[in-house]
């Protein structure tokens, strides 16, 4: 490890934390501004206003919300039209509704709209690029549509923002009309002409006029219904609907631009500030609070219940008998959603924790029958304290739920039971008790998803947790000040125990809950980190070798290269291999060994990297592990495809290989010979092959690769078979072959030849190996990775041009990656995707640069390769 690596977080880490810090800072500023606006408001009046809302008004708001979410699904429909993809309408409706219900309310990456859609739509054939394009299109369509609706509404009623902008109403109208009509005209012009709009580094192809028109109609209806939901809840004195539509669109866009989760605080501040003078601020606050509950929390709860019920239906039993079985067309969608359960459950528990903390500082609604009842007073005080503490415990347990820890699930149910008892003791709050009971029942069908036997608190402490704790405590403090602002503070608060002492009781409960959260965080910070049982490299390699010997995946053999660290399962029957580069911990390939321990190994690796203030990266993952990466909160990017020849079906006699077959036979007639030699190898053979390797490195690549490929080392080569080609008794090329276990699956690893003979020797080697292992009864032969075809036209092309030759085997003899892929395609391989998984928000280019550094053995290796 270099000094820079040991020094801890550097500029890259700060850049990664930058958006998090800015987002929380803006959230704090928004909450502070909102607190300033709500200073004169009495919380009791807000609650009274909410309770006094007519049922018909609530019905209209609920109806507008339902229509609005129906319109939101239209974005998915038109996005699929744009991408020329066809999915069943029921699938689109499910993906759209769940995407918006979870993404709008929570906004965390794993439960964002794009992540939810990826799970559902990929089950019906869409790949990661197509889902990413769909999500990007929806984001652009929603942003553009909402902006245009707001601009034209502002043009109709410029007075909506005249109090917030230093411009006259005429100027606002002219600017709005010019901007709106100009944008709309540009969009249709580009759609009709088929030209591409270039914005910075991005090229945006406009949809056809039919799709664009449909999208505009959806945007207008969606914005109108969302605005109507809030508008009907506003008090008398609010502006007319068209004027308010401009206010709503502006507040929403400002919330989006600031990147504050859900626009909390920012949205409310803009709406309140834009209301006409004389509008009761308390009634506006009540309307905004009900809007959040109806338009955000209610759809989230409904979506959670849908997932819960369908999880129960998939498991059979009472749910299947009561609601029937899930239809076969929809079964893949609901099975795909199961991967979101841990994050959903964590968000669910966190929400109930926040609710209990809020309940603990609310004034007692129901007085005691006897003011002198000491037992009743103790229960009242105890109920408030227990509510606060159970809320904090649920916040802590939410992290364990995300990590699928069994103990966290059962403790969450137990804690919810404690919360039910607490709210009943505090003020016989039947409504809160019923809500918590329903929450526990909704969690029950997910019990099978929590199977990890791990510490609940493992991996909790980190920058995100510290920020979250700070926000929770600050929010509790602001909420307390807002509720009890009319009560002057006194030091006697702490000792005022009475039935009507609501403020003192709330203060004690809030401080107790916050203290528990802070003490827990300090405990984690001071707790010695548990490290893996130390092993010498020789011991680790010996144990890894024993596990590899029982495997069939050739990639597992790279564990024996001697340049990696290991994390072993406690059973000693599985491991993953990794190396460190700057602030990246890069895991090479899939976990190896007993598959029962793969999840624990993955979680342990991610948590250990995060505790070290580093980013976990998984390189060259197979497709079967991608869903698990997403469950851990990582983003998976396709980085290449492995060319694997199915030897049970392969044929060397077709017209596709006629040229190679002719060249192969010609080379044999000219004296070229091929043989596969089993290990161990004679020192004389290794010595004879060394000049070939040195010549190859000197003229083509530079120094030895590492990490993702083997190297010329006698100890390493003696572990594997060698395919050697001779001409006139002199070796001219060779390849190390990875063939663990019974040798049914084989991969080409180190491959060296004299530069002047390439690519003819490569073709001869591939041809001969296919013929040899087909005859030997092997099932498949891997020809190595090739980058995605067409990557040169993507914005990641510079990355591949810079680092690609380091990462893809046998690439030095070809002018481009397309040539390499086309060459391997002659052998009719199956193309198996390989992925790189990394934390959301980290650029794949940054991670690839670190991987390239590992493969090139550091910056010096990279520079030498470029010079070569």
């Amino acid at each position: 490890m270099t000094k820079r690596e040991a020094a801890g977080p550097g500029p890259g880490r700060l850049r990664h934390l930058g958006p998090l810090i800015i987002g929380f800072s803006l959230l704090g500023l928004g909450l502070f501004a909102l607190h300033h606006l709500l200073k004169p408001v009495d919380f009791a009046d807000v609650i009274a206003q909410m309770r006094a809302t007519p049922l018909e008004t609530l019905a209209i708001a609920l109806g507008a919300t339902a229509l609005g979410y129906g319109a939101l699904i239209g974005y998915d429909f038109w996005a699929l039209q744009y991408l020329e993809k066809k999915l069943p309408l029921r699938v689109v409706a499910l993906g759209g509704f769940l995407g918006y219900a979870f993404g709008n309310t929570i906004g965390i990456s794993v439960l964002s709209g794009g992540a939810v859609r990826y799970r559902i739509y990929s089950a019906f054939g869409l790949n990661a690029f197509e889902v990413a394009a769909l999500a990007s299109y929806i984001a652009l369509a929603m942003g553009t549509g909402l902006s245009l609706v707001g601009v034209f509404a502002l043009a109709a009623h410029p007075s909506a923002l005249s109090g917030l902008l230093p411009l006259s109403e005429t100027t606002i109208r002219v600017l709005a009309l010019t901007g709106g009509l100009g944008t709309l005209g540009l969009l249709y012009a580009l759609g009709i002409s088929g030209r591409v709009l270039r914005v910075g580094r991005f090229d945006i192809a406009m949809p056809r006029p039919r799709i664009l028109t449909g999208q505009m109609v959806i945007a207008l209806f969606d914005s109108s219904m969302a605005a109507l939901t809030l508008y009907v809840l506003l008090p008398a004195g609010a502006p007319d609907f068209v004027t308010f539509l401009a206010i709503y669109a502006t507040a929403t866009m400002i919330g989006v631009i600031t990147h504050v989760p859900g626009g909390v605080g920012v949205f409310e501040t803009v709406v309140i500030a834009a209301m006409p003078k004389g509008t009761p601020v308390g009634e506006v606050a009540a309307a905004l609070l009900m809007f959040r509950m109806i338009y955000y929390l209610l759809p989230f709860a409904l979506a959670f219940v849908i997932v819960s019920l369908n999880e129960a239906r998939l498991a059979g039993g009472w749910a299947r008998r009561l609601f029937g079985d899930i239809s076969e067309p929809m079964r893949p969608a609901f099975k795909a959603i199961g991967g979101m359960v841990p994050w959903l459950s964590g968000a669910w528990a966190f929400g109930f924790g926040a609710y209990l903390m809020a309940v603990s500082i609310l004034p007692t609604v129901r007085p005691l029958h006897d003011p002198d009842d000491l037992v009743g007073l103790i229960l009242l005080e105890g109920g408030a304290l227990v509510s606060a503490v159970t809320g904090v415990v649920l916040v802590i347990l939410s992290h364990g739920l995300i990590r699928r820890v069994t103990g966290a699930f059962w403790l969450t149910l137990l804690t919810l039971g404690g919360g039910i008892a607490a709210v009943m003791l505090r003020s016989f709050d039947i409504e809160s008790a019923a809500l918590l009971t329903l929450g526990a029942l909704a969690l029950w069908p997910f019990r099978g998803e929590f199977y990890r036997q791990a510490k609940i608190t493992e991996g909790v402490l980190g920058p995100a947790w510290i920020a979250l704790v700070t926000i929770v405590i600050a929010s509790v403090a602001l909420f307390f000040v807002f509720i009890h602002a009319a009560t002057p503070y006194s030091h006697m608060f702490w000792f005022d125990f009475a039935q009507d002492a609501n403020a003192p009781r709330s203060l004690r409960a809030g401080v107790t809950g916050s203290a528990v959260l802070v003490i827990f965080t300090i405990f984690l910070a001071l707790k010695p980190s548990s490290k893996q049982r130390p092993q010498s490299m020789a011991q680790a390699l010996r144990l890894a070798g024993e596990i590899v010997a029982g495997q069939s995946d050739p990639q597992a053999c790279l564990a024996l290269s001697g340049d990696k660290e290991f994390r072993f399962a406690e059973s000693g029957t599985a491991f993953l291999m990794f190396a460190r580069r700057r602030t990246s911990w890069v895991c090479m390939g899939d976990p190896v060994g007993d598959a029962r321990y793969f999840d624990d190994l993955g979680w342990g690796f991610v948590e250990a990297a995060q505790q070290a203030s580093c980013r976990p990266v998984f390189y060259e993952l197979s497709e079967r592990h991608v869903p698990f990466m997403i469950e851990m909160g990582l983003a998976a990017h396709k980085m290449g495809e492995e060319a694997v020849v199915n030897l049970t079906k392969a044929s060397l006699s077709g017209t596709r290989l006629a040229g190679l077959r002719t060249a192969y036979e010609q080379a044999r007639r000219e004296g070229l010979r091929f043989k596969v030699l089993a290990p161990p190898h004679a020192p004389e053979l290794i010595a004879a092959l060394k000049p070939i390797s040195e010549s190859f490195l000197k003229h083509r690549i530079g120094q030895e690769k590492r990490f993702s490929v083997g190297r010329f080392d006698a100890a390493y080569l003696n572990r594997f078979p060698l395919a050697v080609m001779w001409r006139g008794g002199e070796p001219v090329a060779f390849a190390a072959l990875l063939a663990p276990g019974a040798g049914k699956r084989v991969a080409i690893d180190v491959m060296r030849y004299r530069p002047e003979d390439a690519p003819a020797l490569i073709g001869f080697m591939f041809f001969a190996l296919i013929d040899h292992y087909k005859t030997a009864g092997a099932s498949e032969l891997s020809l190595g990775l090739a980058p995605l075809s067409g990557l040169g036209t993507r914005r990641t092309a510079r990355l591949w041009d810079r680092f690609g030759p380091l990462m893809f085997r046998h690439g030095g003899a070809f002018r481009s990656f397309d040539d390499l892929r086309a060459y391997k395609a002659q052998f009719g391989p199956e193309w198996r995707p390989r992925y790189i998984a990394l934390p959301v928000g980290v650029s794949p280019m940054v991670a690839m640069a670190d991987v390239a550094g590992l493969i090139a053995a550091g910056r010096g290796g990279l520079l030498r390769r470029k010079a070569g």
Side-chain angles (χ1 to χ4, degrees):
M1 184 183 294
T2 66
K3 292 182 179 179
R4 182 175 180 181
E5 289 167 340
R13 180 67 176 170
L14 294 178
R15 283 195 298 270
H16 178 54
L17 290 177
L20 184 67
I21 295 171
I22 292 172
F24 278 121
S25 299
L26 291 172
L27 174 60
L29 290 174
L31 291 175
F32 177 79
L34 186 61
H35 170 67
H36 178 73
L37 288 171
L38 295 178
K39 253 187 177 180
V41 176
D42 187 347
F43 181 74
D45 294 339
V46 173
I47 297 298
Q49 178 65 30
M50 292 175 63
R51 290 181 179 275
T53 303
L55 290 177
E56 56 268 25
T57 299
L58 290 176
I60 295 172
L62 290 171
T65 298
L67 292 173
Y69 272 80
L72 286 173
I73 295 170
Y75 284 109
D76 287 63
F77 174 81
W78 288 114
L80 289 166
Q81 293 282 311
Y82 170 72
L83 296 174
E84 298 181 349
K85 298 294 179 180
K86 192 177 175 85
L87 292 179
L89 190 57
R90 288 180 294 174
V91 174
V92 178
L94 180 68
F97 174 70
L98 295 184
Y100 295 114
F102 295 145
N104 288 351
T105 306
I106 306 176
I108 57 178
S109 58
V110 180
L111 294 178
S112 66
V116 174
R117 290 185 184 89
Y118 175 74
R119 290 186 175 281
I120 296 175
Y121 295 161
S122 63
F124 290 85
L126 268 66
N127 60 39
F129 283 122
E130 291 166 341
V131 176
L134 181 139
S136 299
Y137 176 87
I138 290 172
L140 286 171
M142 291 184 72
T144 304
L146 182 63
S147 300
L148 287 173
V149 169
V151 164
F152 283 119
L154 189 60
H157 287 267
S159 59
L161 300 180
S162 59
L164 300 178
L165 298 175
L167 300 171
S168 66
E169 292 187 12
T170 303
T171 304
I172 293 175
R173 175 176 280 122
V174 170
L175 290 175
L177 278 174
T178 302
L181 292 174
T183 301
L184 204 58
L186 176 63
L187 294 177
Y188 273 98
L190 291 171
I192 294 170
S193 65
R195 297 179 62 182
V196 175
L197 176 65
R198 181 178 294 275
V199 181
R201 297 174 299 165
F202 301 95
D203 293 335
I204 304 174
M206 288 296 110
R208 298 187 300 275
R210 181 181 69 87
I211 297 176
L212 186 58
T213 301
Q215 201 71 74
M216 291 298 108
V217 172
I218 290 295
L220 175 61
F221 192 74
D222 158 42
S223 304
S224 300
M225 291 301 102
L228 180 62
T229 302
L230 176 55
Y231 182 74
V232 297
L233 299 170
L234 290 173
D240 62 84
F241 180 69
V242 177
T243 302
F244 178 74
L245 185 58
I247 296 172
Y248 175 86
T250 303
T252 303
M253 287 307 299
I254 292 175
V256 171
I257 291 170
T258 57
H259 293 288
V260 172
V264 175
V266 178
F267 175 84
E268 286 81 1
T269 300
V270 174
V271 171
I272 292 175
M275 287 292 103
K277 291 181 180 180
T279 307
V281 178
E283 296 183 20
V284 177
L288 286 165
L289 184 56
M290 285 191 290
F291 171 72
R292 287 285 184 183
M293 294 171 65
I294 293 173
Y295 200 79
Y296 290 95
L297 297 183
L298 187 59
F300 175 82
L302 178 60
F304 190 91
V305 170
I306 289 174
V307 175
S308 176
L309 285 177
N310 284 286
E311 190 78 8
R313 291 169 69 192
L314 284 171
W318 66 269
R320 183 179 295 177
R321 291 193 299 271
L322 188 60
F323 297 102
D325 200 0
I326 296 175
S327 64
E328 283 302 318
M330 295 300 293
R331 187 172 288 271
F334 285 109
K335 283 186 175 179
I337 294 171
M340 299 187 302
V341 164
W343 285 88
L344 281 175
S345 302
W348 192 250
F350 185 90
F352 277 110
Y355 176 77
L356 282 170
M357 292 181 73
V359 166
S360 70
I361 59 177
L362 286 174
T364 304
V365 178
R366 296 177 179 83
L368 297 174
H369 295 295
D370 183 359
D372 298 323
D373 183 2
L374 180 60
V375 174
L377 182 59
I378 292 174
L379 293 177
L380 195 64
E381 290 286 340
L385 292 176
V386 173
S387 292
V389 173
T390 52
V392 169
V393 172
L394 284 173
V395 168
I396 295 171
L397 289 174
S398 65
H399 188 274
L401 291 175
I402 291 172
R403 294 167 47 246
R404 294 181 179 268
V405 178
T406 304
F409 177 78
W410 296 109
L411 281 176
T412 297
L413 293 181
L414 183 63
T415 305
L416 284 171
I420 294 169
V423 297
M424 293 297 288
L425 289 174
R426 181 175 177 272
S427 56
F428 202 65
D429 188 352
I430 297 177
E431 292 88 348
S432 293
L435 182 63
L436 293 170
T437 302
L438 290 174
L441 291 174
L443 276 176
W444 180 253
F446 300 144
R447 60 193 181 279
E449 297 290 338
F450 300 91
Y451 51 80
R452 289 192 65 211
Q453 303 296 325
K455 293 181 180 179
I456 295 173
T457 59
E458 189 176 348
V460 171
L461 191 65
W465 174 259
I466 299 297
L468 184 63
V469 168
T470 304
I471 289 296
V472 168
I473 294 175
S475 299
V476 169
L478 285 173
F479 191 46
F480 172 83
V481 171
F482 175 57
I483 293 173
H484 302 285
T487 306
Y489 175 78
S490 169
H491 291 299
M492 295 304 295
F493 261 20
W494 302 99
F495 311 102
D496 188 1
F497 295 91
Q499 175 186 340
D500 58 351
N502 285 313
R505 184 164 45 251
S506 297
L507 181 61
R508 287 188 291 269
V511 170
T512 301
S514 300
V516 170
L517 196 56
V518 171
I519 291 170
F520 173 75
T521 303
I522 294 173
F523 168 76
L524 289 179
L526 298 179
K527 182 181 177 183
S529 60
S530 58
K531 296 183 178 179
Q532 229 181 353
R533 184 174 54 195
Q535 286 182 316
S536 68
M537 178 57 73
Q539 290 175 321
L541 279 173
R542 183 167 59 253
L543 178 56
E546 293 172 359
I547 298 173
V548 169
Q551 305 305 300
S552 62
D553 184 2
Q555 191 182 57
C557 297
L558 293 175
L560 308 179
S561 62
D563 59 359
K564 302 175 183 68
E565 300 177 57
F566 299 92
R567 289 188 66 89
F568 289 96
E570 291 185 4
S571 64
T573 58
F575 69 87
L576 54 77
M577 46 186 154
F578 71 100
R580 310 172 200 238
R581 167 72 176 167
R582 298 189 298 189
T583 57
S584 293
W585 287 19
V586 184
C587 177
M588 177 64 212
D590 296 343
V592 181
D594 191 336
R596 292 176 296 177
Y597 301 98
F598 286 1
D599 285 3
D600 283 342
L601 282 170
W603 276 112
F605 177 74
V606 169
E607 291 161 358
Q610 291 173 343
Q611 287 176 347
S613 296
C614 294
R615 53 176 166 259
V617 178
F618 291 82
Y619 177 70
E620 278 197 37
L621 274 175
S622 64
E623 192 170 25
R624 64 180 177 274
H625 291 288
V626 170
F628 179 55
M629 295 295 113
I630 297 174
E631 289 169 19
M632 290 195 298
L634 305 181
H637 304 267
K638 194 173 182 181
M639 42 132 324
E641 292 181 326
E642 183 182 12
V644 179
V645 178
N646 186 336
L647 298 176
T648 62
K649 300 178 181 178
S651 173
L652 298 175
S653 60
T655 57
R656 183 179 61 245
L657 294 174
L660 279 175
R661 187 169 57 253
T662 300
Y664 174 77
E665 295 298 338
Q666 178 66 28
R668 286 176 60 85
R669 287 193 294 270
E670 292 175 358
L672 196 62
R673 293 291 179 265
F674 166 89
K675 190 173 183 180
V676 175
L677 305 174
H681 306 292
E684 295 80 11
L685 175 64
I686 300 297
L689 298 180
K690 187 173 183 180
I692 301 174
S693 178
E694 291 175 345
S695 176
F696 176 88
L697 295 174
K698 180 179 178 181
H699 291 89
R700 286 289 182 183
I701 303 297
Q703 68 177 29
E704 287 275 11
K705 290 184 184 182
R706 295 176 182 269
F707 188 63
S708 68
V709 67
R711 62 185 185 277
F712 190 92
D713 175 80
Y716 180 74
L717 295 179
N718 268 312
R719 294 178 179 273
F720 309 111
L722 288 178
V724 184
M725 289 189 291
W726 283 273
R727 181 184 287 125
E730 179 184 359
V732 293
F734 70 94
L737 304 172
L738 309 180
K744 292 294 184 179
R745 297 172 62 190
V746 185
I748 303 172
D749 184 26
V750 182
M751 185 172 179
R752 301 289 157 83
Y753 43 82
R754 299 188 186 279
E756 60 270 18
D757 293 329
L761 289 182
I762 298 177
F764 186 95
M765 181 72 76
F766 286 179
F767 200 96
L769 284 171
I770 292 173
D771 184 47
H772 171 84
Y773 278 105
K774 182 178 177 64
T775 303
S779 59
E780 62 182 46
L781 172 69
S782 171
L783 306 181
L785 283 175
L788 294 176
S789 58
L791 265 178
T793 63
R794 304 182 189 273
R795 63 187 184 93
T796 52
R798 292 182 182 179
L799 172 70
W800 300 109
D801 290 341
R802 184 176 180 184
F803 302 124
L806 304 177
M807 299 180 178
F808 301 106
R809 303 170 194 168
H810 327 311
F814 298 89
R815 291 177 297 176
S816 69
F817 297 135
D818 286 340
D819 290 344
L820 171 61
R821 185 182 178 90
Y823 189 86
K824 293 182 178 181
Q826 297 178 91
F827 299 93
E830 298 174 2
W831 294 102
R832 298 178 183 174
R834 291 283 179 171
Y835 295 83
I836 181 170
L838 57 152
V840 174
V842 176
S843 170
M845 295 189 181
V846 173
M848 282 292 201
D850 287 340
V851 173
L854 288 172
I855 296 173
R859 181 178 292 273
L862 281 171
L863 293 175
R864 281 189 289 272
R865 290 172 190 275
K866 291 177 186 177

